[in-house]
Amino acid sequence: MVALTIALLVALILVAIAFVLLPLRRTAAGSIREEEHFRLAREKEGLLQLLRELDFDRAVGKLSEEEHERQRAEVERMAIEVMKRLDAAGRLSGDDPAELLIRVERSRVDREAGR
């Protein structure tokens, strides 16, 4: 009888410890996901700014058309990868990937119209 009481007491203590520690673990994991989300969002914004700068450099003659197209394609590829990672994380920064792709395409159309 004493052994059963001790076993139940130990089990109860373990459940109580798990009950207290489990939310702490979830908070830490959520914090890491949130930090990753913000890092990806900053990276995305930086890449979109770089696309604008490439367009400007081409417009003022700093980049040849061929160099501009090569660099722009690479930056677009990187931006799409970042957007996919944001989408996979399930936490978008106010922009969904479709909207960002539309912005990239609009920028391309605007650039071609400026030729």
Side-chain angles (χ1 to χ4, degrees):
M1 184 72 158
V2 172
L4 181 61
T5 304
I6 291 174
L8 286 175
L9 185 59
V10 169
L12 183 60
I13 290 171
L14 290 174
V15 169
I17 289 172
F19 184 75
V20 169
L21 294 180
L22 190 58
L24 295 175
R25 182 174 178 188
R26 286 185 186 150
T27 301
S31 174
I32 291 169
R33 281 193 302 268
E34 191 170 291
E35 287 175 16
E36 176 69 3
H37 165 71
F38 287 123
R39 187 190 67 74
L40 288 170
R42 283 191 308 269
E43 186 176 346
K44 175 196 73 175
E45 289 303 319
L47 290 168
L48 293 175
Q49 177 62 32
L50 184 54
L51 287 172
R52 288 187 290 271
E53 289 174 10
L54 285 171
D55 291 344
F56 178 78
D57 287 348
R58 182 195 50 82
V60 297
K62 287 185 178 180
L63 287 176
S64 68
E65 197 65 39
E66 296 78 24
E67 185 63 19
H68 173 262
E69 289 300 319
R70 186 188 64 73
Q71 288 184 19
R72 185 172 179 81
E74 178 64 20
V75 173
E76 285 175 350
R77 184 195 60 75
M78 292 172 11
I80 289 170
E81 285 302 313
V82 168
M83 289 183 281
K84 284 179 183 177
R85 291 192 320 227
L86 274 169
D87 189 37
R91 297 186 48 139
L92 301 175
S93 63
D95 293 328
D96 65 34
E99 181 183 22
L100 293 171
L101 289 172
I102 290 169
R103 285 169 52 187
V104 167
E105 188 57 30
R106 280 184 185 155
S107 177
R108 183 189 308 245
V109 169
D110 290 345
R111 179 175 36 94
E112 289 174 357
R115 285 186 191 172

